[in-house]
Amino acid sequence: MSLIVHHLNNSRSQRILWLLEEIGAPYEIRFYDRDPVTNLAPSELLAVHPLGKSPVLEDDGRAIIESGAITEYLCERHGGAHLVPPRGSDEHVRHLEWLHFAEGSAMTPILLRIYTARLGEAAAPLEPRIAQQLDAHFSYMEGELGAAGHFIGDALSAADIMLSFPAEIAVMQGMAPRYPKLAAFVAACHARPAWQRAREKGGAYYGY
């Protein structure tokens, strides 16, 4: 049975499609569209998982949630071992840090910016703190990118794939001049054939 990705348009699940293309694992996509008014996921995703979020990966009847967990699962069981540093190494510890940073620390101010944007002037008291936190996290990422253009070592890792989304947000919000290394990282990600195949299959998202 092939892997199934429950894929929401304009969402972080695009990274899972990219990962699957990089490792060459066969998969199929079940598509879901956001509500055009609320921009939220449709209720059909609740039938897949009680949280009604994407991505959800199905593997032989098992439903797996959380992008970081899905990434680790695919790398361990479906041919992505080359995208993870050897266990027990210092680089593997860094890999775990970045994997969880992408969905933990980095996404908090990004989501706050997205949600408060709907409040208009009512969000003004929060905006300075959100802007400060975005800068803090993007500056950290900018400073940690290696000379080879990766966050760990000299080649693409699963952590790079996870970190691509917050890096894309920085670029899409017009911050490329402030974070040139992140902008170059995003451009290099988008130039990869596997990323382009995933985009073709999953559809354009957030302007890309």
Side-chain angles (χ1 to χ4, degrees), residues 152-189:
I152 300 168
D154 296 330
L156 183 77
S157 72
D160 287 326
I161 293 175
M162 286 291 292
L163 290 162
S164 66
F165 187 85
E168 286 169 338
I169 293 295
V171 173
M172 286 189 295
Q173 292 189 353
M175 301 179 186
R178 292 168 61 186
Y179 311 111
K181 291 171 66 177
L182 282 185
F185 169 74
V186 170
C189 290

Side-chain angles (χ1 to χ4, degrees), residues 19-198:
L19 174 59
L20 284 161
E21 291 295 329
E22 289 284 354
I23 64 181
Y27 67 98
E28 61 177 284
I29 304 173
R30 304 274 172 86
F31 291 93
Y32 303 84
D33 291 324
R34 292 181 180 275
D35 184 285
V37 177
T38 66
N39 203 40
L40 298 176
S43 58
E44 287 82 358
L45 269 172
L46 289 168
V48 180
H49 187 274
L51 288 178
K53 294 182 179 181
S54 173
V56 177
L57 177 74
E58 277 192 58
D59 185 8
D60 198 21
R62 176 195 294 268
I64 304 155
I65 64 168
E66 299 297 337
S67 296
I70 292 170
T71 296
E72 290 199 69
Y73 181 87
L74 289 173
C75 287
E76 182 177 309
R77 302 197 184 192
H78 290 278
H82 63 289
L83 296 174
V84 180
R87 289 187 180 274
S89 67
D90 289 342
E91 285 195 337
H92 187 261
V93 175
R94 291 284 289 161
H95 179 266
L96 291 175
E97 287 179 335
W98 282 121
L99 208 65
H100 293 282
F101 172 91
E103 281 296 288
S105 297
M107 283 307 301
T108 300
I110 289 172
L111 290 173
L112 282 172
R113 169 64 63 79
I114 292 171
Y115 293 147
T116 57
R118 291 176 170 267
L119 299 177
E121 289 299 318
L126 290 172
E127 179 54 30
R129 177 61 172 168
I130 294 172
Q132 183 273 329
Q133 282 294 293
L134 285 170
D135 180 63
H137 289 81
F138 293 149
S139 293
Y140 175 63
M141 292 172 66
E142 176 84 4
E144 293 295 314
L145 260 170
H150 299 287
F151 284 93
I152 300 168
D154 296 330
L156 183 77
S157 72
D160 287 326
I161 293 175
M162 286 291 292
L163 290 162
S164 66
F165 187 85
E168 286 169 338
I169 293 295
V171 173
M172 286 189 295
Q173 292 189 353
M175 301 179 186
R178 292 168 61 186
Y179 311 111
K181 291 171 66 177
L182 282 185
F185 169 74
V186 170
C189 290
H190 292 181
R192 293 185 69 87
W195 187 93
Q196 295 173 11
R197 290 195 301 271

